[in-house]
Amino acid sequence: MQQIDFDIVRDDHDVRQILGLQALNHCSAVDPLSAASDGFTTVRHDFDLLRDMNRTHPSAIARCGEDLAGYCLMMPQSFRSRIPILEPMFCLLEGLSWRVRPLAGDQRWFVMGQVCVASGYRGLGVFDGLYALLRRTYSADFDFTVTEISRRNARSLRAHQRVGFEYLHDYFDPIAEDHWEVVVWDWR
């Protein structure tokens, strides 16, 4: 196998590759057995939104030659209104605190918008490498990142805990009919 290289999103080609990998791993495209063992993505972005997110704050990507081995999306709070499906999460976050620090009004955190590793690259350190790059890229400007993970996505929950995310909150979303865990990776 070729070497895996980590970088940030550089152009529209990178954005298109992310969208392709996202679609392959979306919960609507993955059978239940694979979803339970390998994980899945829950949000599908459109090209314009993802391009705009990466123009302001490029996301972390992993490549093996020309193949996209994985991605980790950086989503600043300013994009919340552009992704309506995530509005309930943002409303919930406004009422939470991390280590007695209210999230509402605090611009020193961002949402990790989604992480995905291509099937042929799982178990090779891509997940950890993506998060290491995300931290190196943004730790001077942000104190921590927040994300939510479906409890059905056990692989993702374990992987996030392994790199340093800690439990903050859990809730049931009746619209999605799913339980979610809100986790934080504190860089301070």
Side-chain angles (χ1 to χ4, degrees):
M1 176 163 293
Q2 290 180 308
Q3 176 179 326
I4 296 172
D5 297 307
F6 296 91
D7 198 2
I8 58 172
V9 170
R10 301 280 178 190
D11 55 31
D12 289 354
H13 176 71
D14 292 342
V15 172
R16 285 187 188 90
Q17 284 194 306
I18 289 170
L19 291 172
L21 185 55
Q22 185 179 76
L24 284 174
N25 291 279
H26 190 263
C27 57
S28 67
V30 178
D31 67 85
L33 187 59
S34 295
S37 64
D38 297 331
F40 54 90
T41 61
T42 53
V43 174
R44 291 185 77 164
H45 298 85
D46 66 46
F47 177 80
D48 291 334
L49 170 67
L50 196 55
R51 181 191 61 216
D52 291 350
M53 280 173 45
N54 281 283
R55 282 183 178 164
T56 63
H57 292 85
S59 298
I61 57 173
R63 293 199 167 288
C64 184
E66 292 298 313
D67 293 337
L68 183 67
Y71 63 84
C72 187
L73 302 181
M74 193 290 192
M75 189 175 77
Q77 295 179 53
S78 60
F79 278 80
R80 76 181 277 174
S81 65
R82 297 203 42 202
I83 309 173
I85 194 171
L86 295 181
E87 186 61 27
M89 177 196 68
F90 276 104
C91 289
L92 173 80
L93 293 176
E94 287 178 346
L96 298 177
S97 295
W98 175 245
R99 298 186 174 151
V100 302
R101 181 175 167 182
L103 298 183
D106 185 344
Q107 295 302 305
R108 296 283 305 169
W109 62 272
F110 67 92
V111 170
M112 192 294 299
Q114 187 176 81
V115 62
C116 182
V117 177
S119 63
Y121 299 97
R122 294 180 185 144
L124 301 176
V126 173
F127 185 94
D128 293 24
L130 288 166
Y131 269 120
L133 176 59
L134 196 72
R135 183 178 188 168
R136 283 192 310 274
T137 303
Y138 293 110
S139 62
D141 298 319
F142 296 94
D143 295 333
F144 54 91
T145 184
V146 179
T147 195
E148 66 177 3
I149 306 163
S150 168
R151 281 200 180 153
R152 294 180 296 116
N153 201 338
R155 182 182 185 125
S156 184
L157 284 167
R158 287 189 308 271
H160 280 83
Q161 184 179 33
R162 185 185 67 244
V163 298
F165 279 85
E166 299 174 63
Y167 171 87
L168 174 63
H169 184 77
D170 61 80
Y171 70 99
F172 178 75
D173 179 353
I175 295 171
E177 296 181 348
D178 205 352
H179 281 93
W180 297 90
E181 286 199 17
V182 178
V183 293
V184 174
W185 189 19
D186 197 326
W187 296 339
R188 294 170 291 164

